[in-house]
Amino acid sequence: MSERPTPPPHNLTHLNYHKIPPHKVDVPGGIIDAHNHTAAPELTRLFVDVAADYGVTQFYTMCQLEHVAGLKAEFPGQFHFVAVPAWKLQMTFDDAFVEDWIRRLDGFASQGSKLIKFHAAPGTCRRWGITLDDPRIQRVAKYAYDLGYHFMTHVGDPKAWFFGKGTYSDGTYGKFEDQFAQLERMLEKYPDRIHLGAHFGGSLEAIDALARRLDKYPNYIVDSSATKWIARAVAEQSTDALRDFLIAYQDRILFGSDLVVGEKYDYAHYASRYWVHQHIWEGEGRIKSPIADPDAGQGFNPKTGEFDPAKAT
């Protein structure tokens, strides 16, 4: 008897992603995916088609400036653009990079963009030698502010990364809670602009702290993006506490997938993220996630907030 083929990492449970569960709520005009990363139109077409199957019709996307005109022409009215710099793994965060970022802000603004993203996760801060307080970042922020931009930030990474074998577990990155002081200084500096916190503001594993931040800063909102991370964090929460949080801040939470467009991705990969999000927010019962999660089992105990060797793999 032949063995069943090894499932791909986006479908461990052998789902038929073309068999789409019905939505519980009808959204006139379709769902907006407020956090994704697209590219050239020919690479983005499959992503748009999959999204449409799952009821998603509009996107706030992070693509390079060079792709904006093409996406607007190919998908009229569907894309809104988050201004980003020309990030590259091999680069130097120097004056030339900042000047290019500012030039790109002008270019995005001419295409109607009103949102700029700052990436200040612990790994990013170390790699480029920056924080949101860095004078170079503040120069860009002030320029964007004067152009009328609102702000989006990635501050915070999964709490599990600070424990066990996690990315930040060697003790040199500080504590999970240390990530957010720079964000609050930014919120205080520009109180008259909307600040969108990517990935539930990096704080879904600490919803009490996130709730306090939302209460203190009425200009702060969050999105639900980063599917594996959010699925993991939701599973760790008290269902009642999470439900109460979502109801209390329902007008401050945007839907987002964090899907990244690329040549290597097929229909099932894109669909897996939308399928999982749909189950999280509209489904019933606890299930095994169909998406492989290499960050699970790092030893973080959500009940105690501490490292638990029994949970480390």
Side-chain angles (χ1 to χ4, degrees):
M1 186 175 180
S2 61
E3 294 183 0
R4 196 171 191 180
T6 301
H10 53 262
N11 196 359
L12 300 181
T13 55
H14 303 280
L15 293 170
N16 179 1
Y17 288 125
H18 290 277
K19 187 177 180 180
I20 301 163
H23 284 286
K24 288 188 175 180
V25 178
D26 180 44
V27 181
I31 300 167
I32 299 172
D33 182 342
H35 187 134
N36 50 84
H37 303 263
T38 53
E42 60 271 20
L43 289 178
T44 303
R45 166 56 66 185
L46 178 60
F47 163 69
V48 171
D49 290 345
V50 175
D53 286 349
Y54 280 80
V56 178
T57 58
Q58 291 196 56
F59 311 89
Y60 278 79
T61 193
M62 283 151 274
C63 69
Q64 288 300 298
L65 178 61
E66 291 78 4
H67 296 311
V68 169
L71 290 173
K72 291 178 73 172
E74 184 71 17
F75 309 103
Q78 289 190 261
F79 279 94
H80 314 273
F81 299 94
V82 182
V84 293
W87 291 113
K88 298 177 183 177
L89 286 177
Q90 301 298 325
M91 54 160 273
T92 302
F93 197 99
D94 55 13
D95 290 340
F97 178 83
V98 173
E99 291 295 336
D100 183 66
W101 192 351
I102 287 174
R103 179 186 66 81
R104 288 171 180 272
L105 280 179
D106 289 330
F108 275 106
S110 71
Q111 296 284 356
S113 178
K114 289 293 184 181
L115 188 64
I116 178 177
K117 183 180 182 182
F118 295 98
H119 204 292
T124 305
C125 291
R126 176 169 295 187
R127 183 181 302 116
W128 308 125
I130 59 170
T131 67
L132 291 178
D133 300 314
D134 189 286
R136 296 164 294 180
I137 294 293
Q138 285 300 312
R139 179 189 170 197
V140 174
K142 178 59 166 59
Y143 192 88
Y145 177 85
D146 290 342
L147 285 176
Y149 278 93
H150 299 275
F151 300 130
M152 178 182 188
T153 52
H154 177 146
V155 173
D157 270 336
K159 195 168 187 179
W161 288 12
F162 290 82
F163 297 87
K165 300 177 183 177
T167 305
Y168 306 141
S169 63
D170 65 1
T172 65
Y173 290 87
K175 298 180 180 179
F176 171 80
E177 295 78 11
D178 296 341
Q179 304 175 87
F180 304 103
Q182 59 175 322
L183 168 64
E184 297 198 2
R185 287 190 289 271
M186 179 74 91
L187 289 166
E188 291 166 357
K189 188 166 186 176
Y190 297 103
D192 58 336
R193 296 297 159 85
I194 294 170
H195 294 253
L196 172 58
H199 321 309
F200 272 100
S203 299
L204 191 57
E205 300 101 328
I207 56 173
D208 289 344
L210 178 56
R212 288 193 295 271
R213 194 168 297 121
L214 288 164
D215 289 340
K216 184 176 181 180
Y217 301 104
N219 55 332
Y220 189 52
I221 64 176
V222 296
D223 71 42
S224 70
S225 63
T227 309
K228 288 184 286 187
W229 178 5
I230 299 308
R232 199 166 61 244
V234 165
E236 293 169 352
Q237 305 299 317
S238 156
T239 302
D240 290 340
L242 181 61
R243 181 178 182 273
D244 290 345
F245 173 86
L246 295 171
I247 291 173
Y249 301 101
Q250 59 186 282
D251 60 345
R252 311 271 294 277
I253 302 169
L254 306 181
F255 170 71
S257 68
D258 203 19
L259 273 164
V260 178
V261 166
E263 290 181 342
K264 62 182 178 180
Y265 300 129
D266 60 7
Y267 183 101
H269 172 86
Y270 295 130
S272 67
R273 273 57 181 174
Y274 286 128
W275 192 99
V276 168
H277 269 289
Q278 188 170 331
H279 183 81
I280 291 172
W281 311 122
E282 300 182 55
E284 296 181 3
R286 297 177 69 89
I287 64 169
K288 178 181 178 181
S289 174
I291 303 172
D293 183 3
D295 293 323
Q298 300 289 13
F300 164 63
N301 186 330
K303 293 182 179 180
T304 65
E306 301 296 336
F307 174 65
D308 183 352
K311 290 183 175 292
T313 58

